[in-house]
Amino acid sequence: MNTLRPGDAMLTDWRDAAARFEREIAKAVVGQDRAIRLLTIAIFARGHVMLEGDVGVGKTTLLRAVARGLGGAYERVEGTVDMMPTDLIYHTYLGEDGRPRVEPGPVLRRAEDLSVFFFNEINRARPQVHALLLRIMAERSVSAFNREYRFPNLQVFADRNRVEREETFELPAAARDRFLMEIGMEAPRDARARRDLVFDPRFHDTDRLTEEVEAGVLDFERIGTIASAIQHAISAEPAIEAYVVGLWEALVRPGPAGIRLPGIDMDRLVQGGASPRGVAFLVRAARVRAWLEGRDWLVPEDIRAVFPEVMAHRVFLEPVYEMRRAQIVPDLIRAVFETVPAP
């Protein structure tokens, strides 16, 4: 089969569908254009997403709208300290006759039709639960009841409780690296959007909001094929390749790159992270962004547009600086952009 290019009819039709998908999602959430675009990129890059944000900013509404626009099955679980890995796979109960019954849990309930799996407050669940989820994310499969269940179209979305620290279990570095992006959501800053969210009764009924989203705008069973075609269709010139490697080097070794941040020992700032897999994810997401913009080649803006969400959570700071991560990492990324010349 010949390599598809963004101008080919199929990819053009899918790009139009992606734009319609974004418009439909925007019916349910207001003032979140960037989050919607990043989620669209993640969908076509076939990557899992961690959502960041305070309570009540619309994370669940956004994901319900995404699930409806994608089609397929949607499941949601709430992280709790007493959750066990088996709770994702099955649940047991006593039937009316007093005999025990076993039914599929949220992961197996819809099996191959499962399109979006939302794990709310993932850091309330124990590491054993994280381990099972990571396998499902990495392999899109799980063994249960003496058979292998496969989830070819599955994308996992999760969020963390950022406020409470008691009875929480933070994900280790290897676990966070499995997420393509960490996307931050805040309440809209636009005054009109804020008034609508507070005073317009339409935004108080999330069920009705999500029902307004056209169902199945994207064919979730074909996205994997289209995602692969996008990756082969978007080219990267040697100058762009050198730019990406330069950004990577400066992010991991900011001191030798000449980056200086006030009050910070740059030679001791970064402990590790930003693995080759993470940089490959960066390029993968950037190619989708280029395709959505109607180009068949990468430009620096494609890289920079997804860099914070793809790379920030892959930078691991020395413990003395970790408590100031929310301030330091954005400053570091800005300094990296200013230091590494764009082609």
Side-chain angles (χ1 to χ4, degrees):
M1 183 180 71
N2 294 331
T3 300
L4 291 167
R5 305 192 68 79
D8 291 341
M10 186 172 72
L11 285 184
T12 299
D13 291 345
W14 271 86
R15 185 167 58 246
D16 293 342
R20 193 167 84 252
F21 172 79
E22 291 182 329
R23 291 194 296 271
E24 289 296 317
I25 303 307
K27 293 179 180 178
V29 289
V30 63
Q32 300 292 350
D33 292 347
R34 177 169 174 78
I36 293 172
R37 170 48 62 97
L38 289 168
L39 280 172
T40 303
I41 291 173
I43 287 168
F44 284 97
R46 305 299 295 141
H48 308 292
V49 172
M50 178 76 76
L51 286 176
E52 294 276 355
D54 294 330
V55 175
V57 295
K59 297 187 297 294
T60 301
T61 302
L62 174 60
L63 290 183
R64 288 180 61 187
V66 166
R68 183 171 173 84
L70 273 175
Y74 166 80
E75 292 285 351
R76 172 181 172 175
V77 297
E78 301 289 333
T80 60
V81 68
D82 60 346
M83 175 179 278
M84 298 297 292
T86 52
D87 293 332
L88 299 180
I89 305 301
Y90 64 84
H91 73 272
T92 58
Y93 65 99
L94 291 177
E96 294 181 356
D97 58 1
R99 303 182 66 179
R101 297 283 189 272
V102 179
E103 289 191 353
V107 169
L108 301 187
R109 193 174 294 135
R110 300 292 294 273
E112 292 187 0
D113 288 334
L114 188 57
S115 174
V116 173
F117 185 79
F118 179 29
F119 203 122
N120 192 36
E121 295 198 342
I122 189 173
N123 59 333
R124 285 201 180 278
R126 293 180 178 274
Q128 299 94 319
V129 179
H130 300 163
L132 176 60
L133 182 68
L134 289 176
R135 177 186 170 179
I136 295 172
M137 291 166 59
E139 303 178 12
R140 289 189 168 92
S141 68
V142 70
S143 299
F145 305 115
N146 297 317
R147 60 165 289 193
E148 187 87 358
Y149 290 84
R150 303 198 65 81
F151 316 99
N153 309 301
L154 174 66
Q155 287 190 271
V156 172
F157 298 87
D159 74 356
R160 289 199 302 269
N161 184 317
R162 297 195 306 179
V163 178
E164 298 170 286
R165 296 297 180 184
E166 294 184 1
E167 295 188 334
T168 60
F169 305 86
E170 288 302 326
L171 275 69
R176 294 181 70 179
D177 192 57
R178 294 289 182 181
F179 288 93
L180 169 69
M181 293 183 184
E182 289 195 1
I183 300 174
M185 285 186 63
E186 299 179 350
R189 298 183 181 275
D190 178 73
R192 173 63 183 273
R194 285 174 175 264
R195 285 197 299 269
D196 288 344
L197 286 172
V198 174
F199 291 103
D200 189 341
R202 174 175 172 269
F203 293 104
H204 302 167
D205 188 341
T206 56
D207 291 334
R208 180 171 293 182
L209 273 177
T210 53
E211 288 173 0
E212 292 178 5
V213 175
E214 180 183 347
V217 176
L218 302 177
D219 183 351
F220 74 98
E221 293 181 317
R222 295 182 60 202
I223 287 178
T225 300
I226 299 303
S228 178
I230 292 169
Q231 294 303 309
H232 287 89
I234 308 299
S235 64
E237 296 296 325
I240 290 293
E241 294 178 356
Y243 181 58
V244 170
V245 172
L247 292 174
W248 182 18
E249 181 69 19
L251 187 66
V252 175
R253 298 178 181 83
I259 294 174
R260 298 291 180 265
L261 297 178
I264 294 176
D265 182 350
M266 301 306 296
D267 293 326
R268 296 182 57 246
L269 174 62
V270 178
Q271 187 179 65
S275 67
R277 177 172 62 189
V279 182
F281 279 159
L282 171 67
V283 174
R284 189 174 184 86
R287 281 181 168 143
V288 176
R289 199 261 185 184
W291 169 70
L292 290 172
E293 295 291 323
R295 282 181 278 99
D296 62 358
W297 67 92
L298 286 174
V299 298
E301 287 76 12
D302 297 322
I303 306 296
R304 296 159 71 104
V306 298
F307 194 94
E309 285 76 16
V310 176
M311 299 303 293
H313 65 286
R314 293 185 161 88
V315 178
F316 310 119
L317 306 181
E318 290 289 344
V320 68
Y321 297 116
E322 189 61 38
M323 292 299 293
R324 296 165 54 199
R325 158 177 288 275
Q327 172 192 346
I328 291 175
V329 173
D331 289 346
L332 174 62
I333 289 175
R334 280 192 293 269
V336 166
F337 287 161
E338 293 170 359
T339 302
V340 180

